Amino acid sequence: MIKKISSRKRHTLGSVLAAVGLAATALVVTAPAASAGGTGALACNQNWSVSSGQGYANGQWCDGNTRVSGTVHDNNADGRCPFVRGYLSGGGYHDSAWAGPKGDSSPVNLYAPSGQTFTSVAMKYITC
């Protein structure tokens, strides 16, 4: 059994996923076209939303798609804790903190490495 710790909001899921296994769902949301913007101000400009049998997440594409912000929610008592995976333009991905058990929510704060942007987000889950 995995026990949540207070620092879970900042940790990566790599070791947890390796330990408990990862299952995927099919829903993927593609990032909007990044705009150059004339003001130089970076902001959140378009909403996104994904859901699955384990929960749902929603938020915004930010800063020319270099940041994904939002919240992931667990709405089922099924032993599966949902999280958001952001796919990067240069390959690879970043994962949010997971939400769980049922009724829990966690922030989604994903930052792309320098020179990359997020191309899509998908709902995933771990066994918890």
Side-chain angles (χ1 to χ4, degrees), residues 3-71:
K3 221 174 174 184
K4 287 200 298 186
I5 56 175
S6 62
S7 64
R8 78 172 165 85
K9 306 247 190 266
R10 293 180 187 224
H11 81 289
T12 62
L13 291 174
S15 59
V16 174
L17 296 176
V20 298
L22 173 67
T25 60
L27 185 60
V28 175
V29 176
T30 304
S35 62
T39 65
L42 299 177
C44 300
N45 59 358
Q46 189 166 347
N47 295 332
W48 58 266
S49 180
V50 293
S51 63
S52 69
Q54 294 71 45
Y56 65 96
N58 47 44
Q60 295 184 313
W61 301 99
C62 303
D63 305 339
N65 300 342
T66 62
R67 185 167 59 93
V68 174
S69 179
T71 307

